[in-house]
C-alpha cells in the first residue's frame, strides 16, 4: 500500500507506517525533541489522511518495533484474539473511528472487542479523533475490577489517597490518611510513594497502612509504590502487601531501563495472588505509565511517544490489574510542553487504555517548570471525569511535598462528585456512612457534625 497523498497541490510521502503514525500525532514537544513530529500542520493533516486509509489488518502484519527485537511486540502479537477482532477486521483506521462513534459500539460490544484490538490500532484511531470523540468512546467503556471493594462502575469515581511524607514519618502519613478519609477519599487505594528504598523501611510502611485499615475495618486496599523487586523481598519478609506496584513502558528496552521484564512481573503477580488478601476479588496489580518514558530512556525505536504509551497498556493488560494510571504531566515540558498538550495526552491515554480493557485512572498533574497551571488541571479533571475516568489522585492541598509536583486534591474530588453526581466505591461509601463521615446521599457531613474517629486510628502501630 502506498503511504502518500496529494493535498493542496503538494505530494506527501511517508517511508513507513511508523512514520505515518508519528506525523499524524497532534503536536507535542516530545515528538519534536525526538525528530519525529510533522514539519507543519499541512504535513500532519496529510499523514492523518493517509492513516485513515490504513487497514487495521496491516498492524498485525507490520510491527512498528520488530517482533524478534522486542518482547512487548511479541506479547501484543501472540496474545491477539482473532475472534474478538472479527467484527472490525475488515475496517480501516478511519472505518474504526466511524464504528466506534456509531450506535453499534455499545458497552457490551466494546468489552467484547477489547482483546481483539492492539495498542497500535487504538493509538492510530485516537490520532484521527477530536477531544470530544475520545471522551464519548471512553465513556462507553466500563471496566470493573475488585480487591476489597468494587472499582469502575458506571457513574462512579474513586480516589487514590496519596499520603506521601518527605521523611516517611508514620505520624505524618497517618495524619494525611485521616485527612483524606474525612474527605471521603481513599476508595481506589491508599498508596504511598516512599522516600526510602530500604526493604525493612518498606515492610514497616506496609504494616502502618495495613493496621490503620484493620483497626478501622476500612474496605479499601493499600500499596507502597516501590520497585517490584523490593516488593517481592518485602513479601518474603512477611509484609502485608495488598497491591504490587510498578511503572511500565511500551518497549522492552524502556522496561529494561526500569529494571523489569515480563518474567519478573509474572513472578510478582503470582506472589501477590498467593497471599490471597483480597476479599472481593483478585486484581492485585497497580501500574503507572506516562507519555515520554520510552523517549527519556532512548528506547522508543523511532515510534512516537503516544503510541509507545499505548503499547505500555499491553504490558498492564497481561496482569488484569486493579488500577492503571497515566501520570500525565509528571515528566515535564520536554515531553508535554503546556496545558493544551497535557490535556490532549490525558484524554488520549484514558481513551486508549479503556478501549484496550484497562481500569484507567489519571494523575492529573504538572511540574512547576511546565507552561501549565491549576486551571489547566481543573479543566482536564472535569473532562476526564465526564469521560468515565475510573479514579484520580488525592493529595493534601494538591501539592505533593515529597515528589514536588502539582496534582489534584481531596477537595477536587468532592467538586467532581457534586457537579457530576459521581459515587464512591459502594463498599467504601457504606463504610463512610456507617462511621458518620457522609450522609445517606454520599455528601460529606458539615464539620460540626463529623464524628470523633476512634482513637485507635490515630495510634501508630508498633514497629514490626
Amino acid at each position: 500500500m502506498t503511504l502518500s497523498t496529494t493535498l493542496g497541490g503538494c505530494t506527501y510521502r511517508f517511508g513507513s507506517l511508523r512514520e505515518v503514525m508519528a506525523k499524524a500525532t497532534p503536536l507535542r514537544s516530545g515528538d519534536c525533541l525526538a525528530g519525529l513530529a510533522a514539519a507543519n500542520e499541512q504535513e500532519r493533516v496529510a499523514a492523518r489522511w493517509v492513516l485513515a486509509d490504513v487497514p487495521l489488518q496491516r498492524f498485525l502484519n507490520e510491527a512498528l518495533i520488530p517482533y524478534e527485537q522486542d518482547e512487548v511486540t511479541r506479547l501484543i502479537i501472540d496474545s491477539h484474539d482473532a475472534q474478538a477482532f472479527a467484527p472490525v477486521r475488515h475496517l480501516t483506521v478511519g472505518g474504526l473511528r466511524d464504528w466506534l462513534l456509531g450506535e453499534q459500539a455499545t458497552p457490551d460490544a466494546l468489552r467484547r472487542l477489547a482483546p481483539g484490538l492492539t495498542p497500535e490500532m487504538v493509538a492510530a484511531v485516537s490520532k484521527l479523533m477530536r477531544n470530544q470523540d475520545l471522551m464519548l468512546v471512553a465513556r462507553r467503556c466500563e471496566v470493573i475490577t475488585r480487591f476489597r471493594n468494587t472499582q469502575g462502575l458506571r457513574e462512579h469515581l474513586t480516589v487514590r489517597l496519596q499520603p506521601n511524607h518527605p521523611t516517611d514519618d508514620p505520624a505524618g502519613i497517618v495524619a494525611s490518611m485521616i485527612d483524606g478519609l474525612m474527605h471521603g477519599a481513599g476508595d481506589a487505594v491508599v498508596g504511598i510513594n516512599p522516600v526510602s528504598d530500604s526493604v525493612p523501611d518498606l515492610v514497616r510502611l506496609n504494616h502502618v497502612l495495613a493496621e490503620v485499615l484493620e483497626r478501622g475495618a476500612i474496605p479499601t486496599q493499600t500499596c507502597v509504590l516501590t520497585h517490584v523487586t523490593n516488593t517481592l523481598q518485602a513479601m518474603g519478609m512477611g509484609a502485608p502487601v495488598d497491591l504490587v506496584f510498578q511503572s511500565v513502558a511500551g518497549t522492552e528496552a524502556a522496561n529494561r531501563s526500569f529494571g523489569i521484564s515480563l518474567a519478573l512481573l509474572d513472578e510478582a503477580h503470582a506472589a501477590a495472588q498467593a497471599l490471597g488478601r483480597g476479599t472481593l476479588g483478585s486484581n492485585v496489580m497497580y501500574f503507572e505509565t506516562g507519555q515520554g518514558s520510552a523517549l527519556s530512556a532512548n528506547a522508543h525505536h523511532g515510534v512516537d511517544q503516544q503510541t509507545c504509551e499505548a503499547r505500555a497498556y499491553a504490558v498492564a493488560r497481561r496482569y488484569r490489574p486493579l488500577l492503571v494510571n497515566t501520570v500525565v504531566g509528571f515528566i515535564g515540558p520536554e515531553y508535554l510542553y503546556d496545558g493544551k498538550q497535557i490535556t490532549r495526552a490525558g484524554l488520549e491515554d484514558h481513551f486508549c487504555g479503556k478501549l484496550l480493557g484497562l481500569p484507567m485512572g489519571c494523575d492529573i498533574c504538572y511540574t512547576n517548570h511546565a507552561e501549565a497551571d491549576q486551571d489547566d488541571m481543573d479543566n482536564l479533571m472535569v473532562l476526564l471525569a465526564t469521560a468515565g475516568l475510573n479514579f484520580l489522585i488525592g493529595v493534601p492541598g494538591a501539592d505533593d511535598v515529597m515528589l514536588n509536583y502539582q496534582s489534584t486534591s481531596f477537595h477536587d474530588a468532592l467538586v467532581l462528585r457534586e457537579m457530576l453526581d459521581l459515587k464512591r466505591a459502594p463498599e467504601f461509601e457504606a463504610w463512610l456512612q456507617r462511621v458518620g463521615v457522609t450522609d445517606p446521599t454520599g455528601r460529606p457531613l458539615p464539620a460540626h457534625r463529623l464524628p470523633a474517629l476512634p482513637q485507635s486510628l490515630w495510634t501508630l502501630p508498633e514497629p514490626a
Side-chain angles (χ1 to χ4, degrees):
M1 175 184 172
T2 302
L3 295 172
S4 65
T5 190
T6 299
L7 292 175
C10 296
T11 298
Y12 297 88
R13 293 184 175 85
F14 305 97
S16 64
L17 182 56
R18 182 170 54 222
E19 182 183 355
V20 171
M21 292 277 281
K23 292 189 172 179
T25 306
L27 177 66
R28 63 208 56 197
S29 52
D31 290 336
C32 295
L33 181 66
L36 303 176
N40 50 48
E41 287 300 319
Q42 289 79 8
E43 187 180 28
R44 185 168 292 110
V45 169
R48 290 175 182 170
W49 191 273
V50 169
L51 183 60
D53 287 335
V54 172
L56 294 178
Q57 190 71 35
R58 182 163 180 170
F59 290 99
L60 299 174
N61 301 328
E62 183 178 336
L64 302 188
I65 301 173
Y67 182 94
E68 299 77 15
Q69 298 178 16
D70 187 89
E71 70 172 358
V72 178
T73 298
R74 293 193 290 275
L75 170 65
I76 291 167
I77 298 301
D78 294 348
S79 63
H80 180 252
D81 187 330
Q83 184 175 356
F85 181 54
V88 298
R89 71 183 305 275
H90 62 289
L91 297 177
T92 62
V93 175
L96 178 61
R97 176 187 179 274
D98 294 341
W99 189 94
L100 291 170
L101 294 172
E103 61 184 19
Q104 65 274 4
T106 63
D108 284 343
L110 292 171
R111 187 180 302 110
R112 293 192 299 269
L113 177 63
L117 295 176
T118 69
E120 291 85 353
M121 292 175 191
V122 300
V125 75
S126 76
K127 299 174 193 296
L128 306 182
M129 300 178 109
R130 294 170 57 185
N131 287 1
Q132 66 173 320
D133 300 337
L134 299 173
M135 293 170 62
L136 177 63
V137 175
R139 184 175 176 82
R140 293 175 178 174
C141 299
E142 185 180 42
V143 183
I144 297 173
T145 56
R146 293 180 175 89
F147 190 77
R148 290 200 190 96
N149 58 31
T150 305
Q151 310 271 332
L153 296 169
R154 195 167 299 283
E155 309 301 336
H156 286 64
L157 175 72
T158 61
V159 179
R160 170 186 160 189
L161 200 172
Q162 186 168 302
N164 292 347
H165 192 277
T167 64
D168 288 342
D169 176 43
I173 289 169
V174 172
S176 290
M177 285 180 67
I178 299 298
D179 182 24
L181 292 168
M182 295 299 282
H183 283 90
D187 44 350
V189 64
V190 180
I192 298 174
N193 299 95
V195 176
S196 173
D197 281 332
S198 160
V199 175
D201 286 346
L202 300 173
V203 171
R204 174 177 57 85
L205 289 176
N206 272 287
H207 279 287
V208 168
L209 298 182
E211 290 196 32
V212 172
L213 263 58
E214 183 177 353
R215 289 173 178 181
I218 306 171
T220 189
Q221 38 282 326
T222 66
C223 186
V224 177
L225 283 72
T226 186
H227 194 271
V228 63
T229 53
N230 292 333
T231 303
L232 279 166
Q233 291 183 62
M235 285 191 280
M237 295 171 65
V241 172
D242 288 346
L243 306 184
V244 173
F245 167 82
Q246 183 56 48
S247 294
V248 295
T251 72
E252 179 180 348
N255 283 325
R256 192 182 308 122
S257 77
F258 288 163
I260 62 169
S261 65
L262 296 181
L264 178 60
L265 294 178
D266 288 348
E267 179 185 355
H269 179 255
Q273 290 278 1
L275 293 180
R277 291 178 57 81
T279 55
L280 292 184
S282 57
N283 301 114
V284 296
M285 304 298 280
Y286 175 15
F287 295 114
E288 286 189 344
T289 67
Q291 288 192 29
S293 57
L295 174 57
S296 68
N298 194 27
H300 58 93
H301 298 272
V303 177
D304 67 272
Q305 68 180 38
Q306 188 253 335
T307 302
C308 283
E309 169 72 4
R311 284 169 54 92
Y313 303 152
V315 177
R317 183 167 63 172
R318 175 179 175 87
Y319 302 100
R320 297 174 55 248
L322 181 76
L323 305 165
V324 179
N325 74 270
T326 168
V327 192
V328 68
F330 185 74
I331 302 182
E334 300 82 3
Y335 305 93
L336 295 169
Y337 178 72
D338 57 15
K340 182 174 183 179
Q341 292 187 14
I342 292 171
T343 296
R344 174 70 189 190
L347 294 175
E348 288 169 347
D349 295 350
H350 179 245
F351 163 87
C352 289
K354 290 293 272 297
L355 198 54
L356 289 167
L358 287 176
M360 286 301 295
C362 185
D363 189 346
I364 301 162
C365 63
Y366 64 101
T367 57
N368 288 308
H369 63 309
E371 291 294 319
D373 58 27
Q374 210 66 36
D375 286 336
D376 294 310
M377 301 305 103
D378 286 351
N379 294 342
L380 180 53
M381 76 176 191
V382 173
L383 293 174
L384 283 170
T386 303
L389 186 73
N390 276 39
F391 74 100
L392 79 167
I393 308 299
V395 177
D399 184 2
D400 193 300
V401 295
M402 195 282 281
L403 292 174
N404 194 29
Y405 78 116
Q406 310 306 310
S407 185
T408 46
S409 71
F410 309 138
H411 302 82
D412 293 329
L414 293 176
V415 169
L416 293 174
R417 295 196 191 287
E418 182 170 345
M419 286 197 306
L420 302 175
D421 194 24
L422 297 172
K423 302 175 179 64
R424 298 175 182 87
E427 301 84 359
F428 188 80
E429 184 64 72
W431 176 82
L432 290 173
Q433 293 179 20
R434 187 166 62 251
V435 299
V437 174
T438 61
D439 67 20
T441 70
R443 289 178 177 270
L445 290 170
H448 68 276
R449 292 180 55 194
L450 287 174
L453 290 181
Q455 182 65 31
S456 62
L457 282 183
W458 290 96
T459 305
L460 294 177
E462 294 296 323

